[in-house]
Amino acid sequence: MKAGPLPTGRSLRKNSQNQLRKKSQMNMENSMCASSGKALGRDHLKWSRHERHVRRLQARIVKATRVGRHGRAQALQRLLTHSFSGKALAVKRVTGNKGKRTSGVDGALWMTPESKYNAVGTLKRRG
């Protein structure tokens, strides 16, 4: 049995790069697959965790304002308004109060749990 020529340093690097690229492609395919479990709806959220998160952010905003760090307070306000917890609690409060059957500016009503959960994802600061 005759052995072929030995690979040079350059070809060894190419082979290892190709193998790494193949591995990362395989990992990417696995990470993009759909979830096997059923997606959690609005009723399955852990409200205590979201309330704690919002309460802590609000406390940090108050503390930063008292100390006079207004830039820090603005940054924390942005965090609060863009966080999932803040949006979810806002939808919960609006749909759980006395005027819950009143439509908003856009004319949409969020009566079902699915529509409320979807509303959290569509909330934007502008537009």
Side-chain angles (χ1 to χ4, degrees):
M1 180 167 160
K2 192 173 188 182
L6 293 173
T8 61
R10 184 176 181 185
S11 64
L12 279 174
R13 271 184 257 122
K14 269 189 172 180
N15 287 341
S16 64
Q17 287 174 352
N18 287 339
Q19 288 175 351
L20 285 174
R21 200 172 293 129
K22 285 179 184 177
K23 278 186 178 180
S24 67
Q25 287 174 352
M26 288 189 328
N27 289 340
M28 185 177 284
E29 289 172 4
N30 289 340
S31 66
M32 289 186 172
C33 64
S35 169
S36 59
K38 189 175 179 182
L40 291 177
R42 181 181 178 273
D43 295 333
H44 293 84
L45 292 177
K46 297 198 183 292
W47 289 111
S48 60
R49 180 183 302 168
H50 294 293
E51 289 168 354
R52 185 174 350 116
H53 181 71
V54 169
R55 204 171 29 247
R56 287 179 67 203
L57 277 174
Q58 289 171 338
R60 289 175 65 192
I61 291 168
V62 169
K63 186 176 178 183
T65 305
R66 284 184 181 161
V67 175
R69 298 187 64 190
H70 299 291
R72 184 67 176 161
Q74 282 184 335
L76 290 168
Q77 286 173 351
R78 187 183 187 288
L79 267 177
L80 179 60
T81 57
H82 286 77
S83 70
F84 178 81
S85 298
K87 292 177 184 180
L89 279 178
V91 169
K92 181 182 178 189
R93 288 177 185 155
V94 167
T95 58
N97 63 11
K98 187 178 173 184
K100 63 184 173 185
R101 291 186 185 88
T102 306
S103 63
V105 177
D106 56 357
L109 282 174
W110 302 327
M111 298 303 287
T112 63
E114 293 82 23
S115 65
K116 293 174 186 178
Y117 188 76
N118 292 334
V120 173
T122 60
L123 283 181
K124 294 179 183 169
R125 221 169 144 184
R126 299 176 190 241

